[in-house]
């Protein structure tokens, strides 16, 4: 007997992971805009221009799978997160249209859209962090929980900056790339701080998470996750150190390392939550849709996903190499 | 705040979002096929003017598409934030339809849009042409799924129950439910007309500028011809759609025609002020037996009135007025497109006042489309899914204060976006498809350095 809710949990988790990594780098690039000058900003936007739309589609798929597979949880989660969801959506709207407006507008309008591009991306990242922080604690309210959510939000923003900066190392050259190396190191420090605070805060904020992680001897095996994250962190730190001094190092390295850190953190999160879809209240089996509806979606997804992955890979191949601002002269 | 007020606010917010969202797909579904036509013409002739036309209209498409994408993401969340009861009760049917839209359409259009917009110098010509076609296919497939869901909510079929849960028993009948073929055709033609009038209006705007632009004459002609063909077709399809609605949702037709009491020899109300309290029409202008004749092709035929459905009847006034606004705008669009087709024969340049008229009608498709959606959505009330789920039963626990705050936020965001969109569109169109000034050169060299 196939356990459909588990399969859909994996599918949903995979799309949300794809979303945070993919849209994470383009949100991160946008959040770095104020640190760059105007010509650099154009190159930065060009490095994410062909991808952001498809990246954001993973969010729609993730939320769509929540809606399809766990309809009972869908309403509970989204109504509990009503305000941060609204903030995120407004942020995503502003930054999404800013891609188009900032190249088509002129004069102070252009400046305004540049600013909205940054602001919208930052608002979306912050709201996503608040949503995660609130989700992990099962939507508990109170000042302490809000503080915890704020810390998580800070960590998420730092993570996106890290992804964005290391993406720029890969996709740009010259002075901008040098700057990106510096940004990556700031991102690393930020992520490290966030990691420590979230690791200390989560067991305090949630008994369920504490019990799962501090259950000897399983804890010892679990420690592999943070250890591997630390190894990836150190690797990126060393690579960027070499790049900063002008020594040879693979340019894809920092981005790969940043993605690794994200994937490991996500794995830890998934372990903390499973099998709850609404923390401490509703398991994936309780929330699952009728098997007949899950089966038809699964069949469709198995047929279509390989195509999506194939043409996504094709698109990344078409737009490989260093970005130039010329891209927007279409 | 009263529960009914909160419900009204939740509905108003969702209505605002969906009304804002539909503006952009109503352009892009068909504009994508205009792009295919321009791209094919360029591939066939190699004329730089076709390339310039294609480039100009991809910019307008990209902008409209981005507006549609971001407001569409909002929709996907608002199903949960505003209507949690919707997924709880009919999620087993609605969920898969939405999932298929994401899987088969959203990724396709988003990915190939990138290749289409930025890849012309990076991929072979045929790949670029194929990308343009795939974007168009994606927009149409997306319309297919979302209209299948909307039509199912209007005229549900193919479902059953298993242990109290509503499930799909026959997916074919769920998708091809009774109103779907009519609604899908009606909406795709509506998109064709909306896009055609955007093309016509913006080309006319270009031709009103001091220097002539042969490419704008060509697109003006293209748009006018498409509109002149689609407009009469829409009259026919709209009529069939109406008869289908009479069969499956008679309460909606009672509201559309402002028929309060069931009876024979029902007059056609041309204009009136529907009086909900007294259940009658004030100041009405009527054609005797008209409604019976039009809807049943028999002057003495009986038609059901609002009284036959109370308390499950929709409010009459908004449906009645929106229907007249839709039909009125449609008739004007039909007349204008035929007149335009005659005036632009052999690509002649129409006089300035005709161009002004076209420019004034640039967004006429929006008026007709939004009015049509008001008819069909308010006409479905008080049901969210006809006969299965009431709108009130699907609303969430969000309080008035949170709804009010987010409503304000959305309104401001949409206001800014819509103004910017229209300004940039007229600006782009005014500049036309002529080779661009070299204003971006300093940035390029800066980037290359």
């Amino acid at each position: 007997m196939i356990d459909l809710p588990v399969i859909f949990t994996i599918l949903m988790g995979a799309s949300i992971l794809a979303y945070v990594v993919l849209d994470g780098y383009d949100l991160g690039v946008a959040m770095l805009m104020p640190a760059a000058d105007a010509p650099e900003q154009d190159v930065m936007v060009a490095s994410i221009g062909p991808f952001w739309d498809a990246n954001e589609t993973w969010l729609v798929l993730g939320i769509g799978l929540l809606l399809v597979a766990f309809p009972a949880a869908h309403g509970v989660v989204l109504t509990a997160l009503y305000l941060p969801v609204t903030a995120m959506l407004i942020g995503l709207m502003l930054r999404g249209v800013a891609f188009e407006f900032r190249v088509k507008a002129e004069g102070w309008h252009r400046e305004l859209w540049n600013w909205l591009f940054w602001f919208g991306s930052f608002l979306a990242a912050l709201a996503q962090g608040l949503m995660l922080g609130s989700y992990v604690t099962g939507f508990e309210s109170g000042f302490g929980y809000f503080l915890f959510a704020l810390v998580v939000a800070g960590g998420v923003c730092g993570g996106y900056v890290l992804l964005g900066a290391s993406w720029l190392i890969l996709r740009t050259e010259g002075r901008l790339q040098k700057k990106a190396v510096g940004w990556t190191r700031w991102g690393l420090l930020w992520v490290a701080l966030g990691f420590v605070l979230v690791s200390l805060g989560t067991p305090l904020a949630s008994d369920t998470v504490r019990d799962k992680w501090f259950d000897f001897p399983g804890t010892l095996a679990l420690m592999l996750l943070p250890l591997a994250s630390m190894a990836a962190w150190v690797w990126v730190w060393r690579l960027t150190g070499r790049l900063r001094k002008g020594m040879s190092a693979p340019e894809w390295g920092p981005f790969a390392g940043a993605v690794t850190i994200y994937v490991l953190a996500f794995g830890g999160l998934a372990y903390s939550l499973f099998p709850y879809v609404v923390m401490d209240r509703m398991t994936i089996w309780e929330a699952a849709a009728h098997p007949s509806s899950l089966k038809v979606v699964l069949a469709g997804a198995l047929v279509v996903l390989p195509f999506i992955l194939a043409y996504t890979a094709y698109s990344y191949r078409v737009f490989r190499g260093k970005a130039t601002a010329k891209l927007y002269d279409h | 705040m009263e529960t009914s007020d909160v419900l009204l606010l939740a509905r108003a917010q969702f209505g605002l979002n969906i009304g804002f969202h539909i503006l952009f797909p109503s352009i892009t579904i068909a504009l994508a096929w205009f792009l295919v036509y321009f791209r094919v013409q360029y591939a066939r002739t190699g004329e730089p003017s076709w390339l310039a036309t294609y480039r100009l209209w991809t910019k307008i498409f990209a902008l409209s598409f981005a507006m549609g994408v971001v407001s569409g993401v909002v929709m996907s969340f608002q199903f949960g934030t505003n209507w949690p009861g919707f997924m709880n009760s009919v999620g087993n049917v609605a969920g898969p339809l939405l999932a298929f839209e994401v899987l088969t359409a959203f990724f396709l259009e988003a990915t190939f849009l990138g290749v289409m917009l930025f890849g012309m110098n990076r991929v072979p010509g045929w790949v670029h042409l194929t990308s343009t076609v795939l974007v168009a296919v994606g927009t149409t497939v997306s319309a297919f799924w979302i209209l299948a869901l909307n039509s199912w909510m209007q005229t549900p079929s193919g479902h059953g129950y298993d242990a109290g849960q509503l499930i799909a028993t026959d997916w074919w009948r769920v998708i091809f439910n009774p109103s779907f073929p009519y609604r899908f055709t009606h909406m795709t033609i509506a998109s064709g007309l909306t896009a055609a009038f955007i093309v016509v209006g913006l080309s006319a705007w270009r031709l009103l500028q001091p220097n002539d632009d042969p490419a704008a004459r060509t697109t003006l002609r293209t748009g006018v011809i498409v509109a002149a063909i689609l407009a009469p077709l829409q009259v026919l399809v709209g009529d069939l759609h109406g008869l289908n609605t009479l069969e499956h949702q008679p309460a909606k037709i009672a509201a559309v025609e402002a028929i309060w009491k069931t009876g024979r020899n029902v007059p056609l109300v041309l204009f009136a002020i529907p009086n909900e309290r007294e259940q009658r029409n004030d100041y009405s202008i009527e054609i005797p037996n008209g409604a019976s004749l039009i809807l049943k092709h028999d002057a003495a035929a009986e038609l059901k009135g609002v009284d036959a459905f109370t308390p499950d009847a929709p409010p009459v006034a908004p449906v009645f007025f929106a229907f007249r606004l839709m039909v009125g705008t449609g008739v004007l669009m039909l007349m204008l497109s035929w007149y335009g087709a005659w005036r632009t024969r052999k690509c002649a340049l129409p006089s300035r006042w005709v161009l002004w008229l076209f420019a004034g009608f640039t967004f006429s498709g929006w008026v007709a489309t939004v009015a049509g959606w008001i008819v069909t959505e308010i006409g479905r009330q008080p049901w969210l899914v006809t006969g299965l789920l009431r709108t009130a039963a699907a609303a969430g626990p969000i309080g008035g204060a949170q709804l009010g705050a987010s409503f304000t936020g959305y309104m401001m965001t949409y206001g800014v976006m819509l103004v910017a969109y229209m300004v940039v569109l007229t600006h782009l169109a005014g500049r036309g498809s002529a080779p661009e000034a070299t204003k971006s050169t300093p940035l390029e060299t800066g980037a290359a350095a």
Side-chain angles (χ1 to χ4, degrees):
Chain A
M1 177 63 198
I2 324 163
D3 196 337
L4 282 167
V6 172
I7 292 177
F8 272 86
T9 305
I10 294 169
L11 273 180
M12 186 173 82
S15 358
I16 293 174
L17 178 62
Y19 171 75
V20 291
V21 167
L22 294 173
D23 214 28
Y25 79 69
D26 72 53
L27 285 165
V29 167
M31 284 159 72
L32 287 163
M33 292 278 279
D37 60 30
E40 288 171 345
Q41 288 181 345
D42 286 345
V43 180
M44 287 163 73
V45 176
S47 80
I48 55 179
F51 308 116
W52 74 272
D53 190 348
N55 291 349
E56 210 173 289
T57 309
W58 289 101
L59 175 66
V60 181
L61 181 64
I63 207 70
L65 286 172
L66 175 66
L67 169 161
V68 173
F70 308 108
H74 175 254
V76 176
V77 171
L78 290 183
T79 48
L81 297 175
Y82 189 80
L83 284 183
V85 163
T86 305
M88 175 191 77
L89 292 172
I90 289 176
L92 286 179
M93 279 198 278
L94 289 174
R95 59 100 57 174
V97 293
F99 274 97
E100 291 296 325
F101 283 131
R102 66 176 292 284
V103 287
K104 289 175 176 115
E106 280 164 12
W108 68 270
H109 283 160
R110 195 190 177 103
E111 285 312 305
L112 175 69
W113 283 110
N114 266 327
W115 186 82
L116 284 173
F117 182 56
W118 170 83
F119 171 77
S121 305
F122 183 65
L123 182 64
L126 197 69
Q128 284 172 6
L130 288 174
M131 284 156 66
L132 176 63
S134 170
Y135 182 75
V136 169
T137 59
F139 315 116
E140 291 283 354
S141 58
F143 181 70
Y145 290 107
F146 180 71
L147 207 63
F148 173 74
L150 216 53
V151 169
V152 175
V156 167
C157 289
Y160 285 172
V161 164
L162 173 63
L163 279 168
S166 56
W167 169 260
L168 288 173
I169 295 179
L170 177 62
R171 305 308 293 258
T172 65
E173 50 200 345
R175 203 163 64 95
L176 178 55
Q177 192 189 37
K178 278 240 149 50
K179 278 191 179 176
V181 171
W183 296 335
T184 307
R185 289 168 78 83
W186 276 110
L188 277 172
L189 292 175
W190 194 350
V191 164
L193 181 68
F195 190 83
V196 170
L197 288 177
V198 172
S199 303
L200 291 175
T202 313
L204 291 174
S206 165
D207 298 340
T208 315
V209 176
R210 188 180 54 219
D211 295 345
K212 285 192 99 166
W213 284 82
F214 297 98
D215 177 23
F216 288 93
T219 305
L220 295 174
L222 283 173
M223 282 306 128
L224 283 175
L225 271 177
L227 282 176
S229 304
M230 262 185 257
W233 193 96
V234 170
W235 187 55
V236 178
W237 186 260
R238 289 192 51 185
L239 281 182
T240 47
R242 287 179 67 88
L243 285 168
R244 196 173 53 161
K245 291 178 198 132
M247 291 152 72
S248 83
E251 288 178 344
W252 54 265
F255 185 65
V259 172
T260 309
I261 294 173
Y262 243 94
V263 173
L264 291 168
F266 194 85
L269 177 68
Y271 175 77
S272 305
L273 294 173
F274 190 83
Y276 288 110
V277 65
V278 181
M279 196 63 177
D280 298 334
R281 270 194 274 173
M282 200 186 286
T283 67
I284 55 171
W285 296 283
E286 288 162 354
H290 195 269
S292 66
S293 131
L294 292 180
K295 272 181 201 152
V296 71
V297 175
L298 183 62
L302 289 179
V303 173
V304 181
L305 273 174
F307 287 97
I308 293 177
L309 294 177
Y311 61 64
T312 302
Y314 174 75
S315 149
Y316 276 86
R317 218 182 76 86
V318 168
F319 297 104
R320 68 191 179 278
K322 302 293 181 186
T324 69
K326 276 203 189 99
L327 188 84
Y328 270 92
D329 291 351
H330 62 82
Chain B
M1 205 181 280
E2 292 287 322
T3 328
S4 61
D5 290 345
V6 177
L7 176 65
L8 203 63
L9 200 54
R11 277 182 59 198
Q13 183 182 79
F14 195 72
L16 172 82
N17 285 312
I18 206 157
F20 180 76
H21 173 69
I22 192 63
L23 300 178
F24 304 101
S26 74
I27 294 176
T28 52
I29 293 165
L31 191 58
W33 292 104
F34 274 90
L35 291 181
V36 170
Y37 172 71
F38 297 151
R39 184 66 184 80
V40 167
Q41 287 291 29
Y42 172 59
R44 211 171 51 83
T45 63
E47 289 278 343
S49 71
W50 278 116
L51 179 62
T53 302
Y54 174 80
R55 288 228 158 116
L56 170 66
W57 287 97
T58 47
K59 279 183 194 161
I60 290 168
F61 180 85
L63 189 59
S64 315
F65 191 84
M67 300 280 283
V69 166
V70 297
S71 52
V73 174
V74 176
M75 308 292 334
S76 70
F77 278 88
Q78 283 198 342
F79 286 126
T81 53
N82 291 35
W83 310 111
F86 177 61
M87 278 301 144
N88 260 337
S89 38
V90 300
N92 287 321
V93 172
L97 295 178
L98 287 168
F100 280 121
E101 183 181 13
V102 180
L103 287 169
T104 59
F106 287 173
F107 280 106
L108 188 75
E109 48 189 10
T111 308
F112 284 99
L113 181 72
V115 180
M116 177 181 119
L117 288 179
F118 309 116
M120 209 166 193
N121 303 321
R122 290 172 182 255
V123 295
W126 68 270
V127 173
H128 188 256
L129 202 158
T130 310
S131 302
T132 311
V133 173
L134 286 174
V135 170
V137 169
T139 58
T140 307
V141 170
S142 162
F144 174 91
W145 290 114
I146 201 68
L147 289 173
L149 173 56
N150 182 274
S151 300
W152 184 83
M153 289 161 65
Q154 303 276 354
T155 55
S157 72
H159 57 274
Y161 289 90
D162 179 43
Q165 272 198 75
L166 187 131
I167 57 163
T169 48
D170 181 348
W171 279 105
W172 185 264
R173 285 186 54 212
V174 166
I175 296 168
F176 294 95
N177 59 75
S179 66
F180 173 69
Y182 299 95
R183 184 169 285 103
F184 181 63
T185 318
H186 196 45
M187 182 61 206
T188 39
I189 296 179
S191 171
L193 284 166
T194 305
F197 269 84
I198 295 263
V199 171
V200 169
L202 293 181
S203 303
W205 176 246
R206 171 76 190 105
L207 292 169
L208 283 166
Q209 311 301 314
N211 45 341
D212 188 25
D213 182 353
R217 286 193 194 201
T218 315
T219 48
L220 179 75
R221 176 84 181 147
T222 311
V224 160
I225 295 285
V226 171
I229 294 170
L230 289 181
L233 216 58
Q234 186 71 315
V235 174
L236 181 73
V237 171
D239 184 51
L240 292 173
H241 191 15
L243 293 176
N244 176 266
T245 309
L246 177 66
E247 188 185 340
H248 296 279
Q249 294 174 287
K252 191 188 285 184
I253 294 294
V256 161
E257 303 295 357
I259 305 168
W260 294 100
K261 295 196 168 44
T262 308
R264 297 182 176 279
N265 299 82
V266 182
L268 180 69
V269 182
L270 293 180
F271 181 80
I273 311 272
N275 186 334
E276 202 81 40
R277 187 187 300 262
E278 311 257 326
Q279 301 268 300
R280 64 185 169 82
N281 295 322
D282 295 337
Y283 314 106
S284 68
I285 304 167
E286 302 175 345
I287 299 176
N289 304 334
S292 291
L293 262 174
I294 289 182
L295 292 166
K296 294 275 173 100
H297 306 292
D298 171 10
E302 185 188 80
L303 283 177
K304 286 216 164 102
V306 172
D307 62 345
F309 309 101
T310 315
D312 287 342
V316 173
V319 180
F320 176 83
F321 285 122
F323 183 78
R324 269 139 197 83
L325 181 62
M326 174 188 76
V327 172
T329 313
V331 169
L332 288 177
M333 290 166 80
L334 171 75
M335 295 194 312
L336 196 62
S337 65
W338 280 10
Y339 179 65
W342 178 65
R343 285 299 292 265
T344 58
R345 62 195 189 280
K346 295 181 191 139
C347 278
L349 187 65
S351 56
R352 286 186 72 81
W353 74 267
V354 177
L355 290 177
W356 274 112
L357 198 60
F358 282 146
F361 266 72
T362 306
F363 298 104
S364 54
W366 280 2
V367 176
T369 305
V370 171
W373 277 105
I374 289 174
V375 172
T376 206
E377 297 297 281
I378 295 188
R380 189 190 55 218
Q381 302 304 324
W383 299 104
L384 188 60
V385 182
T386 307
L388 296 177
L389 177 66
R390 281 169 199 281
T391 309
I398 302 297
Q402 283 195 57
L403 268 173
S406 60
F407 193 64
T408 315
Y410 281 124
M411 280 230 276
M412 280 165 51
T413 314
Y414 290 158
V416 169
M417 284 165 64
L418 197 60
V419 169
Y421 175 79
M422 289 167 86
V423 167
V424 169
L425 222 58
T426 32
H427 176 76
L428 277 176
R431 210 170 50 197
S433 53
E436 273 185 59
T438 49
K439 60 169 181 52
S440 54
T441 311
L443 299 180
E444 277 169 38
T445 45

